[in-house]
Amino acid sequence: KQMQSAKGRMKVTVVGTGQVGMACVVSILSQELCDEMVLVDVAADKVKGEVMDLQHGAMFLRNASVSGGSDYSLSAGSSIVVITAGARQRVGESRLDLCQRNAQIFQSIVPQVVKYSPNCIIVVISNPVDVMTYVAWKLSGFDSSRVFGTGTALDTSRLRHMVGSKLGIGASEIDAFVLGEHGDSSVPVWSSATVAGVPILEFAKQIGATEFEKELPTIHAQVVESAMDIIKLKGYTNWGIGMTCAGLVRSLSRNENAIHPVCTLIKD
């Protein structure tokens, strides 16, 4: 059964209209994953401008409505609430260094989300995402199954892209996961990686990529370093995580029973 609001429509709220938030919004809208999109941000003029800009493309959005503002009441009855708000990661700053600043920001966000959408699922994107997902869960009082973060979903997509580039295979044809904590301490699970059901190292040998196994540590290092590389080049990362977010929203809204490497509470 697909998720719907009380009015029978899929309503998604994105909290935070920075580069990441807007990438999530555009990715969700372009894939036609919701009937209502609500943007919430403390920067009233910014969110107003973003809403107007999106509304001017209404003829390309099918029947999806776009609204927004600084008042969380606009998000009432959302099926999914995506939290992207938070301080931006600086060059040379680890994700964990962001923890204290963003935890304080979440104290003003999560209670409002819960107040107006008590039955929603919360998807956390703000970094450090593993820690912030825990913070959001504690503040929400929700069952842990209703609060999770993007985890290593983006890391996994980066890995599949880089492996695909090495082997000349589309990223969507590679079944490989990065697990653990998002970022520096993530772990690529090479032992279960396959291409069309064939173990990845065996596949590499079959196509003559004899040096591929030696490149595995370098590939993972590139996955870990890629966010900072992008930040150095353009100041922030947004499109990759935006598409990652849309993938999660699609699986939730359409009940695809898909597998995503997210972060959530693990009980012993």
Side-chain angles (χ1 to χ4, degrees):
K1 184 179 180 180
Q2 294 186 1
M3 297 177 60
Q4 293 180 329
S5 67
K7 296 180 180 180
R9 290 167 62 83
M10 172 55 61
K11 182 174 182 177
V12 176
T13 291
V14 175
V15 181
T17 58
Q19 298 291 349
V20 170
M22 293 313 300
C24 293
V25 169
V26 171
S27 296
I28 292 168
L29 288 173
S30 64
Q31 294 185 39
E32 301 178 10
L33 300 178
C34 66
D35 302 299
E36 300 179 59
M37 171 62 74
V38 177
L39 283 61
V40 177
D41 200 301
V42 293
D45 288 344
K46 175 71 161 60
V47 69
K48 182 178 179 180
E50 295 290 6
V51 168
M52 289 177 62
D53 208 0
L54 289 167
Q55 289 174 338
H56 293 170
M59 65 178 287
F60 306 107
L61 297 179
R62 302 283 180 166
N63 294 319
S65 65
V66 181
S67 61
S70 299
D71 191 338
Y72 279 85
S73 64
L74 295 168
S75 69
S78 294
S79 298
I80 301 171
V81 176
V82 179
I83 303 179
T84 73
R88 181 182 294 179
Q89 186 177 11
R90 300 163 180 158
V91 173
E93 181 181 35
S94 73
R95 290 179 176 89
L96 291 178
D97 289 337
L98 288 171
C99 184
Q100 188 62 41
R101 288 190 292 158
N102 284 346
Q104 293 176 348
I105 292 172
F106 268 41
Q107 290 176 14
S108 64
I109 294 174
V110 177
Q112 292 295 307
V113 169
V114 172
K115 177 181 178 181
Y116 291 105
S117 299
N119 298 313
C120 74
I121 287 178
I122 297 176
V123 178
V124 179
I125 293 180
S126 310
N127 275 319
V129 68
D130 299 85
V131 178
M132 298 315 302
T133 300
Y134 181 81
V135 170
W137 169 66
K138 293 292 285 185
L139 290 171
S140 71
F142 285 180
D143 184 88
S144 60
S145 64
R146 292 171 53 201
V147 183
F148 58 88
T150 47
T152 53
L154 177 56
D155 309 69
T156 293
S157 181
R158 286 170 172 161
L159 183 79
R160 294 185 185 187
H161 161 69
M162 292 172 187
V163 169
S165 296
K166 293 287 185 181
L167 300 179
I169 302 294
S172 61
E173 303 302 318
I174 296 165
D175 188 8
F177 287 94
V178 177
L179 301 179
E181 183 184 7
H182 171 54
D184 300 348
S185 61
S186 64
V187 179
V189 188
W190 297 115
S191 60
S192 64
T194 62
V195 178
V198 180
I200 199 162
L201 294 181
E202 181 180 335
F203 180 86
K205 291 177 182 177
Q206 290 178 2
I207 64 171
T210 56
E211 299 297 310
F212 178 73
E213 185 171 3
K214 296 179 182 179
E215 296 179 283
L216 297 186
T218 300
I219 292 173
H220 180 237
Q222 291 174 338
V223 169
V224 170
E225 296 165 3
S226 58
M228 198 54 62
D229 289 340
I230 295 169
I231 290 171
K232 289 177 181 177
L233 290 168
K234 57 178 275 189
Y236 52 87
T237 64
N238 63 327
W239 295 115
I241 190 60
M243 288 182 276
T244 298
C245 173
L248 293 175
V249 170
R250 181 179 63 245
S251 292
L252 289 168
S253 63
R254 297 178 180 176
N255 194 26
E256 291 182 332
N257 295 316
I259 297 174
H260 297 271
V262 300
C263 56
T264 188
L265 182 69
I266 298 177
K267 299 179 181 179
D268 294 334

